[in-house]
Amino acid sequence: MHPGNREESLSRRISFIAYMFVTLILEVSATNETSVNMNNSSRCIQAVPAVSAFSRNNSCIFYEYTLNGFCKGIITSLYVFGDQGTIKYGEIQIKSLESFYGLFDIGEKCGPPLIDLYCRYHFPSCDTTLEKPRKRRICQRSCTYLMDVLCKRELESVGNVAKTAPYFDLGMINCSTYPVASGGNGPECYQSSSLPDDDTRSTDCYHGIGVGYRGNVNVTRSGRSCQRWTAQCPHRHWRIPEDVDKSQNDSNNMCRNPDGSAPDGPWCYTTDPNLRWEYCNISQCPPREKPQPPENVRAADVQKWYFVLTWQQPKYGVYYQIDNFTIERKKETAASFTVLETLPYKKTRINVKDLEPATEYTMRLSSNNKYGRSSAILLKQTTLPDKFLLKLMVTIVLPFGLAILFITIVCIKFGPPCKSNVEDKSQIEIELPLKGGWREFPRLHIQLEVKLGQGAFGEVYKGELKNEKGAIACAVKKLKEGATELERRDLINELNIMVTVGEHPNIVSLLGACTAGEPILVVVRLAENGCLLDRLKENRANPYVNVENKKASFTETDKVMIARDVTNGMLHLSSKVCVHRDLAARNVLLDKNNVAMVSDFGMSRDIYESGAYEHMSGGMLPVRWMALESIEDFTYNVKTDVWAFGVVLWEIASGGKMPYSALKGLEILDFLNSGQRLKQPEGCSDDTYQMMASCWKQDPSQRPSFGELVKIFDQKLQTKSV
């Protein structure tokens, strides 16, 4: 045998022995890692079976990068997806880049990420995190940022050369073929560290897409616990967040967004083998920018010496963390504005005094937060002339008084016409409250479809709201035929309250209304999964009947999340100084993700109106959900809503059973006065029942607040004590 052949043969043998040795080490390491993970998470079930050494070696090749070129430090000893041809082709491409690199005038910002992606593109890692080996590719966002921002000038030159030179792979600069990163979706792609993300550190909320979030939430939106980032069971993966990689805390399973891999905020792999990853329930931080200006600035009660200036808070005022409003004034003859007053965010009106009659004033309003002042809203208003009241008496009041006297005489003599006029006036008075702050839809834009449900006086339909951009699904509430004026007033009252309450994820939010003509239509957000009470009843039905059609039962975590959603909604209502008065499982709706939303404010009353409540004689009262003091003397406040929430919690735990099913009417009052309460439902935990019982304390001051209840449920979800 030729000496050269002997040396080559010996070299191949040594390389093969080294390859088998490294393979053995990697397999033992993988076995030990799995063993450690299994010990750290008892009875951990892998989501997919581990890839065997045979399967990996059949799709991938071990490669030890020994060249001193561009890829040193990027490509070391690793399994490459492909075969020997892949290795040879990659080495040719690297040498080609080295030869031409100096010809393209590569900038400092472009060079490192270009080389990094170039090496990883031609030596793709062998991904064994799923059921079979796959190529770990580069993420599309990394490619487009390189092409469109960092290396736009340089890659235009490379692209021109690549069209005529056979040494460059045109596929590399075609970003449309690259996979899009979406959290933990497998197979996972490689995301460049050069991507610009808002990495501002935060703990209570997240900026941008959450790259800098460092809070301690470790539960997903559906209540599932997060898998440790350093663990590979039940889900094997590539992504390790920066702070976890540098941390000595082995129990770190907090929600993160490593490499900006998910577009909608922090996430984590779950401990559920059937769900690889999920977003976490973390809110976005307020924008670090100037706020929006006040809305609907108006002047009311205009007189000679003063007028009342009113406005509405900006739609996203709380989100922008507005501190206060600045009100400025300028008389028509003045050269500049003077600051009249700076009012806190909750104030939305001011009495502008010490004015001159028949004079034009320009008012300027703006919102303020820690980032500065909003653009200003201007309003011009002229005060009344000094002799206005005398002219009003002579020209309007006197003739009007004579007309009233004439109508009174006619009514006394003829009777019926007077009755008709009174009815018309009553109709006008009823319609006045309809002029609210909602969006008024033309009736032709609202199409009613299937009926979703009905109560004693109202009906709810699934509908379609059409506009210039298309149509959206919605729910539409209207009165039944033959409804009384009192019931009509209640629907109008509900509409006004929904405007006051505003938007919240756990409240059925108002989209708008149609109040022109009859019947009045109130258009609200659609709850795809319907009424909580119906779902509870479905889930406690006979498990052996209609098994195929039966929806998945609520888990204990699901129930806690629904209860937490209801308390969140009620906390928002109480923050608006609004009492519900009819909180029950039938008035809680679920969206397509089973997020609970409090609905039906028909019996609600804004306690700003009078500070107290009066019984509606002849009305139908929800006695089984009412607090003891509500039944006895018709008292309604936030604490009576807390009592009703305790009953809702009992409904959730019992599977939607009827409270006090063996009692009727006043028997319930006697039952409660004797100190008795609803019994603990079967399967209900002691701590959950104690929470219900605390809501039913006879002394309202001893009942918990909705804020306290929200904290209890959040703690339950975080500690998994459900």
Side-chain angles (χ1 to χ4, degrees), residues 162-173:
K163 292 176 182 178
T164 56
Y167 304 106
F168 291 99
D169 186 350
L170 282 172
M172 180 181 172
I173 57 178

Side-chain angles (χ1 to χ4, degrees), residues 373-610:
R373 181 187 247 183
S374 72
S375 57
I377 299 295
L378 300 178
L379 174 73
K380 291 186 177 182
Q381 180 61 53
T382 302
T383 53
L384 297 182
D386 197 13
K387 298 181 179 180
F388 177 79
L389 292 177
L390 180 59
K391 291 181 179 179
L392 181 67
M393 180 67 70
V394 175
T395 60
I396 298 177
V397 176
L398 183 59
F400 185 76
L402 294 174
I404 292 294
L405 179 61
F406 175 78
I407 292 172
T408 304
I409 295 171
V410 172
C411 286
I412 294 173
K413 185 173 183 180
F414 298 101
C418 181
K419 181 178 180 182
S420 175
N421 290 336
V422 171
E423 288 177 351
D424 291 342
K425 182 180 177 182
S426 174
Q427 183 68 23
I428 292 171
E429 290 175 349
I430 292 171
E431 291 180 356
L432 284 177
L434 292 177
K435 297 179 181 179
W438 58 83
R439 185 177 179 185
E440 182 74 16
F441 297 124
R443 194 169 294 273
L444 291 176
H445 288 190
I446 304 172
Q447 182 175 345
L448 303 184
E449 297 176 352
V450 297
K451 183 187 290 187
L452 298 177
Q454 62 182 21
F457 314 113
E459 298 173 328
V460 180
Y461 290 83
K462 180 180 179 182
E464 191 175 66
L465 179 61
K466 299 178 181 178
N467 55 33
E468 61 279 359
K469 296 181 180 179
I472 60 171
C474 62
V476 182
K477 186 170 185 179
K478 73 181 191 72
L479 293 176
K480 288 182 178 179
E481 292 185 9
T484 66
E485 287 299 334
L486 188 58
E487 292 149 11
R488 184 176 183 274
R489 285 177 181 270
D490 272 341
L491 181 61
I492 296 168
N493 180 64
E494 181 176 357
L495 176 57
N496 284 318
I497 289 174
M498 293 183 78
V499 171
T500 302
V501 168
E503 295 185 7
H504 189 275
N506 300 123
I507 295 290
V508 174
S509 301
L510 177 70
L511 300 179
C514 176
T515 60
E518 294 292 342
I520 296 171
L521 303 179
V522 178
V523 185
V524 299
R525 176 182 166 193
L526 179 65
E528 292 85 348
N529 279 339
C531 169
L532 172 61
L533 180 60
D534 293 339
R535 288 296 308 277
L536 290 170
K537 290 178 179 178
E538 288 175 8
N539 282 282
R540 69 174 166 87
N542 189 332
Y544 302 103
V545 176
N546 296 327
V547 174
E548 294 183 357
N549 298 326
K550 189 175 185 294
K551 296 181 181 179
S553 298
F554 288 133
T555 64
E556 288 304 308
T557 300
D558 292 335
K559 293 178 180 179
V560 173
M561 292 187 70
I562 288 171
R564 192 267 311 271
D565 289 345
V566 175
T567 54
N568 264 329
M570 294 304 297
L571 178 61
H572 178 73
L573 275 182
S574 62
S575 73
K576 297 294 183 178
V577 201
C578 189
V579 179
H580 192 289
R581 300 207 329 170
D582 195 15
L583 179 61
R586 65 181 174 274
N587 288 334
V588 174
L589 303 179
L590 303 175
D591 73 3
K592 60 183 178 182
N593 296 319
N594 280 339
V595 174
M597 302 178 290
V598 179
S599 70
D600 279 324
F601 310 104
M603 292 188 67
S604 305
R605 296 292 183 273
D606 188 340
I607 61 177
Y608 273 141
E609 287 183 356
S610 62

Side-chain angles (χ1 to χ4, degrees), residues 133-149:
R134 300 171 189 266
K135 178 194 293 188
R136 190 185 188 199
R137 303 177 64 196
I138 297 168
C139 299
Q140 187 178 103
R141 185 163 165 246
S142 297
C143 176
T144 54
Y145 185 64
L146 186 78
M147 291 287 296
D148 299 340
V149 182

